[in-house]
Amino acid sequence: MSKTVFIFHVLTQVGLDSINKSNNNMTFCPDFCNFVRTKKIALMRHSNPVDSKNPNAYNGEVLELNTTATSSGKKMFIESYGCQMNFSDSEIVASILGDAGYETTSQLNEADLILVNTCSIREKAEQTVRNRLEAFQGIKKTKPNVKVGVLGCMAERLKSAFLEEEKIVDLVVGPDAYKDLPNLVAEVEAGRDAINVILSKEETYGDVQPVRLQSNGVTAFVSITRGCDNMCTFCVVPFTRGRERSRDPKSILAEIDTLAQSGFKEVTLLGQNVDSYLWYGGGPKKDFAKASDLQQKTAVHFHQLLDLVATAHPGIRIRFSTSNPQDMTRAVLHIMAKHPNICNYIHLPVQSGSDAVLNAMNRQHSRQEYMELIDDIRRIIPDCGISQDMIAGFPNETEADHQDTLSLMEYVKYDFGFMFMYSERPGTPAAKKLEDNIPEEVKKRRLQEIVALQQEHGRYRNAQFVGKTVEVLVEKASKKSDAHWSGRAQQNTVVVFPKEHYQVGDFVNVKIDSCTSATLLGTALDFGPTQSYHHG
Ligand code: SAM
C-alpha cells in the first residue's frame, strides 16, 4: 500500500521580532537516504503559506514522502512550532507513530489524527497554537471522528487544563512521553481522552531512529541533551522540558554513522544548553556529584564529545546549538580550532548587556566575563561567526541598561541575532517575583533599536567576506534563481553562486564577489578540501 508522509513545520520561536535573515535555511534532515532506501520514498517539496513573512521561519516547506510500506490506513497531520528541538522531536514522533502504522499527510481534510507540536517560550507562540486549534474545530464539526492532539511544551505547561479549556483537544502529550503515543492514540481511538505529561530524568530517545522530515539529505539535527537546569528567571523551558540529561555518546555516534552512510554532510548537535553536556552513564546532570569515582573520572564532557564526533567523521561538518555563555569552556574553543570540520560558528545568547539585568535574569555570568569569552573566541578561532539572542524590556530594565545592551553589541558586532520583546511566562521566577513593568511601546522601541543595530552589524560582517574564498556546503537551489545554488559558509552565512557542474551535498570553494545584508554572492572556484573525503 502506498504510504504518504507529509509533514508541515512552522517556526515561530525566532519570530517576527527576529532579524537573522541568513539563518532562514536551517533545515531538517537526517538519515533520510537510509529511509529512502528502505522504504522507497519519492520526495516533493511544497511551499507553506503560513508565517511566510518571518525571515527566520522554516517558512513552511512541506515534505511529502511516498513509501510502499504497509500501514493501518490511518493518516496523521503533524504541525510543529518553535525551536529546532521541537522539529527534531517531530521527527521522533513521526518515527514512533510510523512504526505503529500511521501514515502522514499534508492534507488536513485527509487526517484521522491532527498533532500540533507546540512552543511556550513566548505568549505569541501559544496564541498562534490556540488560533490553529480553533481552525481545527471546523474540521471536527464535519468529521467528528478526527482526533486532535497537543504535543510539546504547551502540553506540558497546561497539562489537563488543555482537555478542559480547549474542548476539541483529545490528546495531551509532554516532550518526554512520545514513546507512549501508540498507547495514548489507542485510548483516544477508543473514545477516551488521553494525557501523559510525565517528565523523565532519563528519557533521551537515544534508541529511536528519527524519520528525517523536511530533509534536504545534506544537513541533519542530532539531539544530545534534553531539558535544562539553568533556571534563567524569564524562561519556561526547565518547567516544560524538565531536568537536564545527556544522551549516551555511543548512540550519538551511531546516529551520526547512519547519517554519514546515508550521504549526509553536516550535523547540528542539539540541546537547550549543549556545552553543559555530561555523560557519566545516565541520569540527570544534577546528580553527577553523587556518581561513583569511576563514573566521575570517565565522564564525557562536551569538548570530548565534539572531539569524538569530529575525529570519527572528518568529512562531516559539525555544528552545535545552543551554547550558554556560563557553560562554554575554553576547552571547547580549542577543540573547535583543532578540527577543520567543526564549523567556526557559535550561537552565544546573552539576552542583555547590563549586569543588573543579567543578574535579575539569573544568567550566571557578568558582562565582563561574556566579553572575555568573546575575546578568547576571537583569539582562538579568529574567523568565528558569532550570533546572539537578546531580550528587550525585561522587568525594571532602565534606559541605561538598554544602552549597555547596545554598547555590548557594538563591542561584539554579531553576525546574526534573534531578538525578542520580553514576554512574561506564567510560573517562571520572573513572573512570580518581578512586575512586567516596561510599557509595551518602550519595549518595542528598544527592540527596534537593537534590531537596527544588528542589521548594521550584519552588513558589516558580510562585507568582510567580499574578496575572500569560503568553503560552502551546497544545500539546495537558490530561492531566487534556479541557475544558482544556495549553501552556507562555516560561519552559517548563506552563500549563493552559479551552479555550474556542482551538486547538492558538494563542498565548494566560493570566491565572494558581493553581498547583501543577508547573503553572500560569489563564484565557484573548485571543490573545497572537505570534498576529498567523499571522492576516492
Ligand atoms: N537555552 C538557550 C539560552 O537560554 O541561552 C535558548 C533558550 S530559548 C528556547 C531561545 C531564546 O528565546 C532565548 O535565548 C531568549 O532570547 C528567548 N526567550 C526565552 N524566554 C523568553 C521570554 N520569556 N520572553 C522573551 N524571549 C524569551
Side-chain angles (χ1 to χ4, degrees), residues 59 127 145 150 162 184 256 279 369 422 432 488 519:
N59 280 339
Q127 195 48 52
N145 289 337
V150 175
F162 237 123
L184 296 167
I256 298 173
W279 173 258
E369 284 163 342
Y422 173 65
K432 284 183 188 157
R488 277 177 298 154
T519 310

Side-chain angles (χ1 to χ4, degrees), residues 240-252:
T240 58
R241 287 190 167 268
R243 300 308 299 238
E244 187 178 309
R245 59 230 111 106
S246 297
R247 183 175 163 193
D248 185 343
K250 278 199 209 115
S251 89
I252 296 170

Side-chain angles (χ1 to χ4, degrees), residues 130 150 154-169 172 195 197:
R130 287 185 193 282
V150 175
M154 238 174 128
E156 193 62 51
R157 198 178 81 70
L158 296 166
K159 301 188 169 66
S160 55
F162 237 123
L163 295 172
E164 287 139 32
E165 284 168 21
E166 311 284 334
K167 299 284 180 225
I168 61 155
V169 173
V172 176
I195 178 164
V197 286

Side-chain angles (χ1 to χ4, degrees), residues 402-451:
H402 172 58
Q403 290 305 320
D404 281 349
T405 295
L406 297 179
S407 73
L408 180 70
M409 290 176 70
E410 283 292 0
Y411 184 80
V412 183
K413 290 194 172 55
Y414 295 97
D415 296 65
F416 318 111
F418 299 90
M419 292 146 282
F420 313 97
M421 282 197 290
Y422 173 65
S423 165
E424 187 180 83
R425 305 312 295 131
T428 56
K432 284 183 188 157
K433 290 191 202 128
L434 301 168
E435 190 193 341
D436 185 7
N437 58 0
I438 307 299
E440 186 80 358
E441 64 275 14
V442 176
K443 282 185 187 173
K444 262 193 197 143
R445 193 252 307 149
R446 289 181 187 166
L447 178 65
Q448 277 163 3
E449 288 174 9
I450 290 170
V451 166

